[in-house]
Amino acid sequence: MSTASTRSFAALRIRGYQAHFSTYLLAMMADNIEHVISYWMAFQKFHSPALGGFAVVSHWLPFLLFSVPAGALADRFDPRRIIQCGMALFILASVGWAWFFITDTLQLWEAMALLVVHGCAGVLWQGASQMLLHDIVPGPALPSAVRLNATARTLGVLVGPAVGGAIMLTIGPRYGLLFNALFYLPAVIWLIRAPYGPRFRAAPTAPPRAVRGFGDILRTIAEVRSERLLAAMILLAGCASFFVGNSYQAQMPEYAHDLGHGDPGFTYSMLLAADAAGALAAGLLLESRSGLMPTTPRMALVTAMLWCLALGAFAATGSYPVALVLLFAAGMCELAFSSIAMTVVQMNAPAASRGRVIGLYNMSALGLRAFAGVTVGLGGSAFGIHASLVASAAALLVALGMLGYWMAQRPAVQRT
């Protein structure tokens, strides 16, 4: 194991990654600020639960449909420009919300269109950002960079709602959305002259393949099938997203009510905070103790199984303090297995099709979350949210066990 891979916060010692990390964190915070303000204002305008459901679908469905085509674009063109396109769509969405709220002319179809624009922005941004990491940090520091990006994502989810609430109280929601668009600009400006991308690479690269749209999805799946290690990590992420994902967070108000501990609003907030705080703690712990957890498929599988157990126990417990501890543990395990799986994919994806493979991983890890609402949400309507989450976690545990058995039959060689 190289020295760079075991140093604490190895990626943050690289100047280029410092800029990438800070602009990524600002954009992630702005993403969540926009959710807080726009969802609240849209609900006040329409009082439509159906629009709330569409907001969830429009956020994840673009990842399912367009992650691989977006990855193909990042393979063929400069990832910096793809990220800037994503930032432009984010800015368009924030300014669009602000315009319609200021003029009080928002219609339902316009709200739906803005939600779709926001979802497509995320697809362009995430895949290209992951591609750009290979140009910014050397291979040994890549696990650190992936973990820190995952930590920044969690920190943005934690900080965004608080900052969004503060903006609503001070500037107001309408002009607050205009102000929020400014948080995307640092990434746009930095990437104009950032010395990364295809023309700055010292090593020769394979000729870029033509972008074939949805045909790239089938072609990339065919390529990954022969790479056992990549297939295993993509399947792991997909199973976790399909069976559970983050759908249990939408049920948190009812869990808070059922736990019956004090004010349901406060209880609800603390439960969400425990899950996010666990992920943040895991990111900081894994970075400060870089040799604590090896970046291997086996470790990704083990921590994913522990995540299942923690969530199943959370759904079954009637104790509020125990629920907080279990959600904290679940957050730690989720960040661990997701960052490890993503690192393994990034380090082992063929250079010529890295963007497409990363896109396929995002399609699996993020796009399939659209179906977790069926396994946990609709199951909760039929059998209760506690039984539904226990059953979903148990089904995922069985699926992961089968995946582990398949991986053990012919272990793949991991590149380091």
Side-chain angles (χ1 to χ4, degrees):
M1 184 177 296
S2 67
T3 303
S5 63
T6 57
R7 293 174 68 186
S8 298
F9 300 95
L12 278 179
R13 300 172 189 269
I14 301 167
R15 185 177 296 276
Y17 183 76
Q18 294 170 5
H20 173 85
F21 178 85
S22 57
T23 55
Y24 183 91
L25 177 58
L26 282 174
M28 180 55 65
M29 183 184 73
D31 181 358
N32 285 275
I33 290 172
E34 184 181 322
H35 285 319
V36 168
I37 300 178
S38 63
Y39 288 5
W40 187 83
M41 290 292 289
F43 179 78
Q44 296 300 316
K45 175 77 174 179
F46 300 109
H47 295 281
S48 172
L51 182 61
F54 181 81
V56 176
V57 173
S58 65
H59 189 76
W60 298 121
L61 193 59
F63 282 95
L64 184 65
L65 297 177
F66 304 126
S67 285
V68 176
L73 289 175
D75 274 333
R76 186 168 181 82
F77 302 105
D78 192 331
R80 297 175 303 169
R81 308 303 170 229
I82 306 298
I83 296 171
Q84 287 175 318
C85 289
M87 294 297 105
L89 290 181
F90 275 131
I91 292 171
L92 175 63
S94 272
V95 172
W97 284 116
W99 168 261
F100 287 119
F101 289 142
I102 290 171
T103 58
D104 195 25
T105 57
L106 182 67
Q107 300 181 47
L108 187 62
W109 74 267
E110 292 167 334
M112 295 173 71
L114 288 172
L115 290 168
V116 171
V117 168
H118 186 96
C120 292
V123 176
L124 291 174
W125 172 41
Q126 289 296 339
S129 292
Q130 292 160 349
M131 274 285 290
L132 195 62
L133 287 181
H134 291 266
D135 294 320
I136 298 174
V137 300
L142 187 62
S144 172
V146 174
R147 280 195 300 267
L148 285 167
N149 267 28
T151 305
R153 184 180 183 88
T154 300
L155 190 57
V157 171
L158 273 175
V159 174
V163 175
I167 288 174
M168 290 178 69
L169 291 174
T170 54
I171 304 176
R174 294 170 177 85
Y175 292 98
L177 282 164
L178 279 178
F179 178 73
N180 184 59
L182 298 177
F183 290 121
Y184 296 113
L185 289 179
V188 176
I189 295 170
W190 174 63
L191 288 170
I192 292 174
R193 298 180 62 87
Y196 307 108
R199 68 189 183 94
F200 294 97
R201 293 168 190 162
T205 57
R209 283 167 28 186
V211 178
R212 302 183 183 278
F214 291 109
D216 279 314
I217 298 176
L218 297 177
R219 185 172 178 180
T220 307
I221 290 174
E223 290 179 1
V224 166
R225 284 177 60 186
S226 62
E227 296 285 344
R228 196 176 185 86
L229 187 145
L230 291 175
M233 293 298 94
I234 291 172
L235 284 172
L236 185 151
C239 287
S241 294
F242 179 82
F243 285 105
V244 178
N246 64 344
S247 59
Y248 62 94
Q249 295 177 355
Q251 312 294 334
M252 228 34 116
E254 189 169 347
Y255 286 118
H257 178 270
D258 293 347
L259 286 167
H261 185 84
D263 173 57
F266 175 77
T267 308
Y268 164 63
S269 300
M270 287 296 293
L271 290 173
L272 286 177
D275 191 40
L280 180 60
L284 295 175
L285 179 63
L286 292 176
E287 276 304 298
S288 60
R289 299 287 184 271
S290 300
L292 182 65
M293 191 173 290
T295 307
T296 62
R298 178 182 177 86
M299 182 56 65
L301 185 65
V302 169
T303 49
M305 287 180 165
L306 291 175
W307 181 60
C308 295
L309 296 174
L311 285 180
F314 159 73
T317 188
S319 168
Y320 176 71
V322 173
L324 286 177
V325 172
L326 289 169
L327 279 177
F328 185 85
M332 292 188 73
C333 292
E334 183 178 14
L335 184 131
F337 84 75
S338 60
S339 64
I340 290 173
M342 181 74 254
T343 303
V344 171
V345 169
Q346 290 216 46
M347 294 180 70
N348 290 272
S353 58
R354 182 175 288 132
R356 292 167 172 81
V357 173
I358 290 175
L360 185 62
Y361 177 87
N362 287 335
M363 174 183 167
S364 183
L366 300 175
L368 289 179
R369 288 186 176 188
F371 297 101
V374 176
T375 57
V376 176
L378 294 184
S381 299
F383 309 108
I385 59 170
H386 297 273
S388 170
L389 183 53
V390 169
S392 295
L396 175 56
L397 192 62
V398 171
L400 293 176
M402 295 172 63
L403 178 61
Y405 177 79
W406 178 72
M407 289 167 58
Q409 295 306 298
R410 193 178 61 191
V413 177
Q414 181 179 357
R415 302 188 187 110
T416 57

